[in-house]
Amino acid sequence: MVPVRSSSPVSRRAFLARSSLAAAAAIAGPGLLSACGSRGGGDATTFLSYLPLETLSMTPELLALAGGHFAEHGLDVELQEVQGSPQAMQTLISGLGPITRIGQIDLMTTVADSDQPLVCVGSLTRGTSQRVVYSTENLSLETPEDFLDQTIGVPSEGGTSDLVVSLVLANAGLDPDQTAKQVVGLTPGTFNLVQQGELAGYVVSIDTAHTVVAQNEDAAVFDPATLVASDSQVYVTTEDDLQDNAEVLEAFMRAIHDALASVVADESLDETLETLRGENSFTALDDDEIARQALTELRDLWSGGDADAPLLVTHDEAWVSGYEELVAAGLASPDGDASAWFDNSLLPGA
């Protein structure tokens, strides 16, 4: 795990400065103990990410660091990975960090089923950013019916990717139990299992999907967005932190907003890529064609295809519809009040 950190020392005390560090770390597990132990001196701020850092899915945070947006808003942020969205939510609830980014599905199923005090403070995407890659040499995954009686690779059992596959089937009137899931790695190399026929396909990020297609002539992509509405990426805090750390959270969200706005305004993506590459290097970012394809798709997901649309705002109708989709599929308790699970007050213009 390689921490990524901004270069500007800025005072920031509240993000992880909690007296309950030891007890909360014990709840969250050994991975988190490692993350907390490496955050350094009193001025350091740690953002715990359930996504790998070396993916263009992390562009908002990577660009907020490399482009100086966190520093401009008085924050000194360090990025470190945690082991999936469950640990990210445990981190918030246990008091080790005031904000993370997870899937809308993770948030809604957790709050609806166990009434955890989590609140969405910004919706990053206007649709799913996950893709299913498969080999045309073996079969086609162009329709939900093609998924029946097949095995699909997912990064974690019961996680967002797993539930997205279930939603693809449920929303088409099919039984999700007729598709098996197998936990696999997220790297392009996992495509070997698809080519060998051990998997029908597997769920990956947008930039990994482009990488797999670039490296394999038989690779093709299924986009779940044609059938799934509730899989957005959302920034999440706790009800307590929304009250106690509003100033810091607002600075964080404004820095993310500025980073996103800079990409939306950068039609050629030249400036975005130059800034990201100034402090980062990984396969999808270093390949110019893959990086531009992935960033173009991500930019459209952030803006909903409208460059003038407000970024990060959670829209009540779409939010509630997403919850209703999960309830209809039997993936979330029907007794929740989804309108109470988001707050736009930290965003610019609120």
Side-chain angles (χ1 to χ4, degrees), residues 22 29-30 45 74 82 179 200 202 215 266 274-275 293 301 308 317 344:
T45 294
V82 294
T179 298
Y202 70 114
Q215 295 176 349
D266 181 16
E274 181 179 0
T275 303
Q293 290 173 333
L301 280 172
D308 297 323
E317 183 176 353
N344 289 320

Side-chain angles (χ1 to χ4, degrees), residues 243-324:
Q243 295 295 321
D244 299 339
N245 289 318
E247 184 176 349
V248 169
L249 292 170
E250 182 174 2
F252 185 93
M253 294 308 299
R254 287 176 180 270
I256 292 295
H257 179 277
D258 290 353
L260 297 174
S262 73
V263 182
V264 172
D266 181 16
E267 187 173 347
S268 70
L269 294 172
D270 290 346
E271 184 175 346
T272 299
L273 288 170
E274 181 179 0
T275 303
L276 287 173
R277 289 168 177 165
E279 297 196 13
N280 303 278
S281 177
F282 50 89
T283 301
L285 175 61
D286 296 342
D287 186 299
D288 202 62
E289 183 175 355
I290 292 172
R292 291 180 186 278
Q293 290 173 333
L295 282 173
T296 298
E297 280 194 55
L298 288 168
R299 181 171 58 187
D300 288 345
L301 280 172
W302 301 335
S303 67
D306 179 0
D308 297 323
L311 298 166
L312 294 169
V313 172
T314 301
H315 300 289
D316 184 76
E317 183 176 353
W319 182 256
V320 172
S321 294
Y323 174 56
E324 292 172 345

Side-chain angles (χ1 to χ4, degrees), residues 37-152:
S38 66
R39 75 179 189 277
D43 289 342
T45 294
T46 302
F47 176 76
L48 298 165
S49 171
Y50 87 110
L51 294 171
L53 301 184
E54 295 183 339
T55 168
L56 288 170
S57 296
M58 286 293 294
T59 292
E61 292 81 8
L62 295 177
L63 190 61
L65 285 173
H69 300 294
F70 282 136
E72 290 171 3
H73 287 276
L75 300 177
D76 180 10
V77 177
E78 183 177 7
L79 308 181
Q80 287 195 351
E81 296 177 30
V82 294
Q83 297 173 356
S85 53
Q87 191 177 74
M89 288 186 283
Q90 285 178 327
T91 302
L92 293 180
I93 294 167
S94 62
L96 279 171
I99 193 166
T100 189
R101 172 152 65 96
I102 59 177
Q104 177 185 355
I105 294 175
D106 294 313
L107 172 65
M108 287 187 159
T109 54
T110 299
V111 177
D113 294 348
S114 57
D115 198 29
Q116 297 291 348
L118 301 175
V119 182
C120 163
V121 292
S123 292
L124 176 61
T125 60
R126 308 300 172 190
T128 182
S129 56
Q130 302 189 66
R131 303 290 184 265
V132 182
V133 292
Y134 62 96
S135 169
T136 55
E137 294 290 330
N138 295 337
L139 49 77
S140 168
L141 290 180
E142 295 183 348
T143 70
E145 288 77 9
D146 295 332
F147 285 69
L148 295 176
D149 302 319
Q150 302 293 342
T151 299
I152 303 297

Side-chain angles (χ1 to χ4, degrees), residues 112-270:
D113 294 348
S114 57
D115 198 29
Q116 297 291 348
L118 301 175
V119 182
C120 163
V121 292
S123 292
L124 176 61
T125 60
R126 308 300 172 190
T128 182
S129 56
Q130 302 189 66
R131 303 290 184 265
V132 182
V133 292
Y134 62 96
S135 169
T136 55
E137 294 290 330
N138 295 337
L139 49 77
S140 168
L141 290 180
E142 295 183 348
T143 70
E145 288 77 9
D146 295 332
F147 285 69
L148 295 176
D149 302 319
Q150 302 293 342
T151 299
I152 303 297
V154 295
S156 63
E157 184 178 2
T160 295
S161 301
D162 187 338
L163 297 177
V164 164
V165 175
S166 294
L167 280 173
V168 166
L169 294 159
N171 290 349
L174 304 173
D175 181 2
D177 289 339
Q178 285 191 254
T179 298
K181 319 288 177 45
Q182 179 176 322
V183 176
V184 298
L186 293 170
T187 66
T190 301
F191 193 67
N192 289 335
L193 298 177
V194 179
Q195 291 174 314
Q196 294 166 8
E198 297 186 30
L199 299 171
Y202 70 114
V203 182
V204 297
S205 63
I206 286 175
D207 55 342
T208 299
H210 281 289
T211 301
V212 171
V213 169
Q215 295 176 349
N216 302 274
E217 292 184 356
D218 59 322
V221 178
F222 174 83
D223 182 357
T226 55
L227 287 161
V228 174
S230 59
D231 184 32
S232 174
Q233 286 277 305
V234 295
Y235 289 93
V236 176
T237 188
T238 66
E239 294 174 355
D240 285 345
D241 275 303
L242 191 57
Q243 295 295 321
D244 299 339
N245 289 318
E247 184 176 349
V248 169
L249 292 170
E250 182 174 2
F252 185 93
M253 294 308 299
R254 287 176 180 270
I256 292 295
H257 179 277
D258 290 353
L260 297 174
S262 73
V263 182
V264 172
D266 181 16
E267 187 173 347
S268 70
L269 294 172
D270 290 346

